[in-house]
Amino acid sequence: MDYDILINKEHKLDRSFVPNDLIITDNNDDNFHNYKDPSLKPMISSAVWPYFQLMQEAALKEGFHIIIDSGYRSYDYQQVIWDKNVLEKGLEHTSKYVMMPGASEHQSGIAFDIAYFRNGAYTDDVTSDDPEYAWLIRNAHLYGFILRYPQGKEGITGINFEPWHFRFVGVELASYLFANDMTLEEYHLVKSQKDSSIKLA
Ligand SMILES: [Zn+2]
């Protein structure tokens, strides 16, 4: 998989797409399983996991315990979530707050939602006021990760601000996007314009 892949409502993954290198992650904290069904241990691409571990170690050194709360989700699982929401809340509400099957980055295995441990207590109540979040915003790009749906970019990503959702794009691209305050959508737009100007020249 190309780590700059754009996955959204206009660029969906095929139903048959399943990452071929998924591993079950270990959050190094038995407490986690007091809160989560062990069968729901988060899965992620084995190529991305070492980058997360490096980031996790660096954050731990500053007292922030960040974990992967939800990683890979299959197309079919997203379909279940989607159908349930449509039944309960209607199509309009669902399309605003839930990714349709194929449009969720979680199917890629290179995106995940975070949670924290604070003084040993698990919380998935992630907000932009959290010191852990502030640390991630400053440092995630050094490990190849981006905040995928930033505040103020809702009109570009088409997704509400999600302070918990991070995506691997590789260190080089993450650093570029960070330095230029760009989303993946903006990057692909610039890239496609460059490609077409090259063809014209
Ligand atoms: Zn997510």
Side-chain angles (χ1 to χ4, degrees):
M1 170 176 285
D2 289 332
Y3 291 129
D4 72 350
I5 184 173
L6 187 60
I7 303 159
N8 59 26
K9 285 174 211 167
E10 285 81 38
H11 303 85
K12 290 195 217 165
L13 289 171
D14 196 79
R15 183 177 180 182
S16 64
F17 179 81
V18 179
N20 59 11
D21 69 337
L22 288 175
I23 53 160
I24 295 169
T25 65
D26 177 1
N27 278 302
N28 295 318
D29 198 318
D30 292 336
N31 265 333
F32 184 69
H33 304 299
N34 296 331
Y35 299 91
K36 291 270 168 171
D37 177 347
S39 69
L40 297 176
K41 276 185 186 175
M43 289 199 287
I44 191 169
S45 155
S46 64
V48 171
W49 179 233
Y51 289 91
F52 182 83
Q53 285 181 299
L54 281 175
M55 182 167 77
Q56 191 181 44
E57 275 170 34
L60 265 176
K61 279 186 191 146
E62 298 190 40
F64 306 125
H65 194 167
I66 298 157
I67 61 168
I68 292 179
D69 196 51
S70 176
Y72 169 70
R73 292 181 211 148
S74 70
Y75 185 101
D76 289 345
Y77 182 71
Q78 198 67 26
Q79 184 81 58
V80 169
I81 297 175
W82 176 267
D83 292 345
K84 186 169 179 281
N85 266 271
V86 170
L87 272 177
E88 287 172 0
K89 293 172 180 164
L91 185 59
E92 200 187 326
H93 183 277
T94 301
S95 50
K96 250 188 218 160
Y97 294 99
V98 180
M99 281 296 193
M100 61 184 70
S104 169
E105 287 200 326
H106 286 270
Q107 192 187 338
S108 71
I110 62 172
F112 51 86
D113 299 335
I114 55 159
Y116 319 126
F117 281 105
R118 286 187 188 139
N119 305 316
Y122 163 86
T123 178
D124 62 359
D125 183 21
V126 175
T127 77
S128 55
D129 295 329
D130 302 333
E132 294 92 341
Y133 172 83
W135 188 90
L136 280 169
I137 288 303
R138 286 196 310 273
N139 295 288
H141 66 282
L142 301 172
Y143 304 92
F145 298 101
I146 57 167
L147 177 75
R148 185 63 182 84
Y149 309 115
Q151 202 155 25
K153 300 271 190 176
E154 295 86 346
I156 297 162
T157 62
I159 304 294
N160 287 316
F161 175 42
E162 288 196 0
W164 54 84
H165 183 106
F166 285 80
R167 157 74 196 274
F168 186 76
V169 295
V171 174
E172 198 182 335
L173 180 55
S175 299
Y176 175 81
L177 297 178
F178 178 80
N180 292 284
D181 189 29
M182 279 168 88
T183 60
L184 208 51
E185 276 79 7
E186 290 167 295
Y187 169 76
H188 277 275
L189 188 64
V190 170
K191 200 176 145 188
S192 67
Q193 284 166 348
K194 268 188 194 156
D195 288 349
S196 60
S197 68
I198 288 165
K199 275 174 214 150
L200 286 172

